[in-house]
Amino acid sequence: MILTFMFVILFVLLILGAPVAVALGLASLFFISQSGMPDVVVLHNMVNGINSFPLIAVPFFILAGHLMNTSGITNKIFAFARATVGWMHGGLGHVNVGASVVFAGMSGAAVADAGGLGNIEIKAMRDAGYDTDFSVGITAASSTIGPIIPPSLPLVVYGVIANASIGQLFAAGLVPGFVMAASLMAMVAVFSRIRGYPRDERFLIGHFLRSFGHAILPLFTPIIIVGGILTGAFTPTEAAIAAVVYALALGVFVYRTLNLRRILRVSMDTVETTASIMMIVAASAIFGWILTANQVAQKFAGTLLAFTDSPAAILLIIMAVVLVVGCFMETIAAITILTPVLLPVAISIGIDPVHFGIILILNLMIGLLTPPVGLVLYVLSKVADVPFERCVIATAPFLVPLLAVLLLLTFVPALSMWLPTAIYR
């Protein structure tokens, strides 16, 4: 009964608009106090929840992404993508996806992609005569690639909570990220044929080489991060620090677009973002401890197995639950709440924790494109200066390829598992 009241308090607070960390903390404190345990249990578990070396990567990946945005590197990435795939029908739509793939290897966050590249991409597409709805829709959909291709903030948080290898999670995200990009480019090709969108420009080897020369130093960022982790030269945390050092070197010494004032502003933004994430992780630690101690995951698994013994059906139910939660909750918060409950169920039907992490994150990324939360849509609503409701309608068609990829990755584990298996096992 106390456990039921804890969930009621949590959901009521979330509906009333309380910060996720506050809702989790107060609900957990209620359970602890009603169970007769000392209140110090809350602080003890919260401190233990964030006392994790891999979590140090979070502020550094956030800082690296902010530095890349502030130093003007996004313009060079967009120009390189334009020279590479702009010759195709609907060229700027393909450029939009291609730029997101490259930027994914730097920021690891969908909102950073939408806010950083989105302004450049939407303006360029509007100037070239593309419909605003199409421009906003493909920009929103392509931003979800960021947290799948490493580095990825959601995968770091999931790895800590699930006690899974972050290196394996990063390796597992590479192929799915490119599959997502291919599906979105296929959708762009369909729209381009129907609406007659033109090629952006002819492919000229000289122009390609010049744009590559301008972008080559930023392009080394994902090579440093991903290559360092996969070869064992860096841990994910060390790779994040290396990315920050490299971004600072580019912004201060090469492009000279970063000064002390900009660095301080970016640092303060990083502190604010990191603090909010760490508060959620800390509050979810005590919440997860309560769920584990009361065997909530085992009871949930028992309920599902009583309903059906088909692993495919159970996996579909789990994915449906995650999809619904993702529509109402921010990604990091959803990961911290859902992982302790759903991961044991997934493991019980033979799902590898690394594979589950990829499909969980992709599912939650789709939630970023759906109301009522839809953080990416809110960002693009401001960037494109269009109503939020219009952004929702514009993005809806691009949910089709993303959902198709989600189903493909769910039932074809080899797509996400073959690379980490080849590297680590």
Side-chain angles (χ1 to χ4, degrees), residues 45-69:
N45 279 278
M46 290 180 73
V47 171
N48 282 343
I50 58 175
N51 184 23
S52 171
F53 179 72
L55 279 179
I56 299 175
V58 171
F60 286 104
F61 279 134
I62 294 171
L63 179 57
H66 283 330
L67 289 171
M68 292 289 179
N69 267 331

Side-chain angles (χ1 to χ4, degrees), residues 25-93:
L26 289 178
S28 301
L29 186 60
F30 167 80
F31 181 91
I32 295 295
S33 62
Q34 293 300 308
S35 300
M37 289 183 278
D39 293 345
V40 72
V41 171
V42 175
L43 293 177
H44 177 73
N45 279 278
M46 290 180 73
V47 171
N48 282 343
I50 58 175
N51 184 23
S52 171
F53 179 72
L55 279 179
I56 299 175
V58 171
F60 286 104
F61 279 134
I62 294 171
L63 179 57
H66 283 330
L67 289 171
M68 292 289 179
N69 267 331
T70 306
S71 60
I73 288 174
T74 48
N75 291 292
K76 294 176 174 60
I77 294 171
F78 184 77
F80 172 66
R82 192 169 191 170
T84 305
V85 295
W87 55 271
M88 303 169 72
H89 283 290
L92 284 180

Side-chain angles (χ1 to χ4, degrees), residues 4-274:
T4 302
F5 275 116
M6 182 184 75
F7 278 104
V8 170
I9 291 172
L10 172 64
F11 291 124
V12 168
L13 288 173
L14 290 175
I15 291 171
L16 292 176
V20 174
V22 173
L24 286 169
L26 289 178
S28 301
L29 186 60
F30 167 80
F31 181 91
I32 295 295
S33 62
Q34 293 300 308
S35 300
M37 289 183 278
D39 293 345
V40 72
V41 171
V42 175
L43 293 177
H44 177 73
N45 279 278
M46 290 180 73
V47 171
N48 282 343
I50 58 175
N51 184 23
S52 171
F53 179 72
L55 279 179
I56 299 175
V58 171
F60 286 104
F61 279 134
I62 294 171
L63 179 57
H66 283 330
L67 289 171
M68 292 289 179
N69 267 331
T70 306
S71 60
I73 288 174
T74 48
N75 291 292
K76 294 176 174 60
I77 294 171
F78 184 77
F80 172 66
R82 192 169 191 170
T84 305
V85 295
W87 55 271
M88 303 169 72
H89 283 290
L92 284 180
H94 297 294
V95 170
N96 195 313
V97 177
S100 291
V101 169
V102 177
F103 194 67
M106 302 178 185
S107 71
V111 174
D113 186 318
L117 281 170
N119 189 37
I120 302 169
E121 293 167 338
I122 292 175
K123 182 180 184 303
M125 293 181 76
R126 278 175 165 171
D127 292 344
Y130 288 78
D131 296 337
T132 297
D133 288 359
F134 176 77
S135 305
V136 170
I138 188 59
T139 302
S142 65
S143 70
T144 61
I145 299 173
I148 304 299
I149 292 179
S152 166
L153 297 180
L155 284 179
V156 170
V157 174
Y158 169 83
V160 171
I161 295 172
N163 196 25
S165 166
I166 294 174
Q168 290 186 34
L169 286 165
F170 279 9
L174 277 172
V175 174
F178 286 111
V179 172
M180 291 171 66
S183 71
L184 291 174
M185 292 180 78
M187 193 72 170
V188 169
V190 171
F191 270 97
S192 300
R193 292 293 181 181
I194 295 174
R195 300 184 181 180
Y197 291 140
R199 304 173 192 268
D200 181 49
E201 57 185 31
R202 292 187 300 122
F203 182 81
L204 299 173
I205 188 65
H207 179 48
F208 169 78
L209 291 175
R210 282 193 298 273
S211 66
F212 177 72
H214 292 150
I216 189 169
L217 291 178
L219 290 174
F220 268 111
T221 308
I223 295 174
I224 292 171
I225 297 172
V226 180
I229 294 172
L230 297 186
T231 59
F234 298 138
T235 65
T237 302
E238 292 166 346
I241 297 171
V244 169
V245 173
Y246 189 66
L248 279 172
L250 290 181
V252 175
F253 300 111
V254 179
Y255 302 122
R256 298 185 179 181
T257 51
L258 289 178
N259 52 33
L260 182 58
R261 179 177 294 180
R262 286 187 171 184
I263 292 173
L264 288 175
R265 186 177 71 246
V266 165
S267 299
M268 290 305 300
D269 290 341
T270 301
V271 169
E272 291 178 8
T273 306
T274 302

Side-chain angles (χ1 to χ4, degrees), residues 311 345-352 355:
V345 181
I347 292 174
S348 71
I349 59 174
I351 304 299
D352 189 284
H355 174 219

Side-chain angles (χ1 to χ4, degrees), residues 345-365:
V345 181
I347 292 174
S348 71
I349 59 174
I351 304 299
D352 189 284
V354 173
H355 174 219
F356 183 74
I358 297 300
I359 58 179
L360 173 70
I361 303 305
L362 175 53
N363 207 325
L364 293 175
M365 288 305 99

